[in-house]
Amino acid sequence: MKIARYGTAIVILHTFVNGLHGLAHLKIPVPLSWLQSLFIGTVIFPLPIVAAILLWTQFERLGVWLLLGAIAGSLLFGFYNHFLVISPDHVSKVAFTGWGMLFQVTAYLILIVDSLGCWIGLWAWKALPHQEEVL
């Protein structure tokens, strides 16, 4: 039950921060490639929500793996696009005024929230009862 609560809490926070960041993308606008949009629309938003739902069911183990994978994917995607690759999506290319302020603040918050989400995912995986392998 503790895993489900913490996992759900981080998914709600992850979804909220990424939603605000997406709003800033639209308002500035900062364009995304079709591949980036596909990744966001399949991994960053829906998979953590599916994972949170699974954490409350008999498929908790699958939920933990899905949570860890989706949040880690989001963390790597955000780090790569906002801080490594110089593109319109890089924090240095967006002015820290108006919607750009929200863009930059949420880019950093995504790093923090998703790092915490990865930690929760690893903690949850370790907290799950592991079956001994039969030889």
Side-chain angles (χ1 to χ4, degrees):
M1 194 66 92
K2 198 181 227 185
I3 290 172
R5 283 193 308 251
Y6 288 136
T8 301
I10 200 65
V11 167
I12 290 168
L13 191 56
H14 163 88
T15 303
F16 179 73
V17 171
N18 276 281
L20 287 176
H21 187 74
L23 178 63
H25 261 270
L26 293 172
K27 293 292 186 176
I28 293 171
V30 175
L32 296 170
S33 72
W34 70 270
L35 193 54
Q36 288 172 314
S37 296
L38 180 65
F39 189 82
I40 292 165
T42 56
V43 176
I44 292 178
F45 277 102
L47 285 185
I49 294 168
V50 170
I53 293 167
L54 291 174
L55 293 176
W56 294 94
T57 71
Q58 65 193 24
F59 303 107
E60 179 184 42
R61 182 177 301 282
L62 177 59
V64 167
W65 279 109
L66 201 55
L67 175 69
L68 183 56
I71 298 291
S74 177
L75 175 65
L76 293 173
F77 179 88
F79 182 72
Y80 180 80
N81 286 292
H82 297 136
F83 301 100
L84 286 183
V85 173
I86 302 301
S87 73
D89 202 14
H90 193 279
V91 292
S92 69
K93 297 299 180 182
V94 177
F96 195 69
T97 60
W99 289 102
M101 200 178 307
L102 181 65
F103 178 92
Q104 289 197 27
V105 168
T106 54
Y108 285 98
L109 284 175
I110 287 168
L111 284 182
I112 294 165
V113 168
D114 287 352
S115 295
L116 179 59
C118 287
W119 182 84
I120 288 171
L122 288 170
W123 163 79
W125 177 74
K126 287 183 177 185
L128 287 173
H130 295 279
Q131 297 175 345
E132 296 294 325
E133 290 186 41
V134 178
L135 298 178

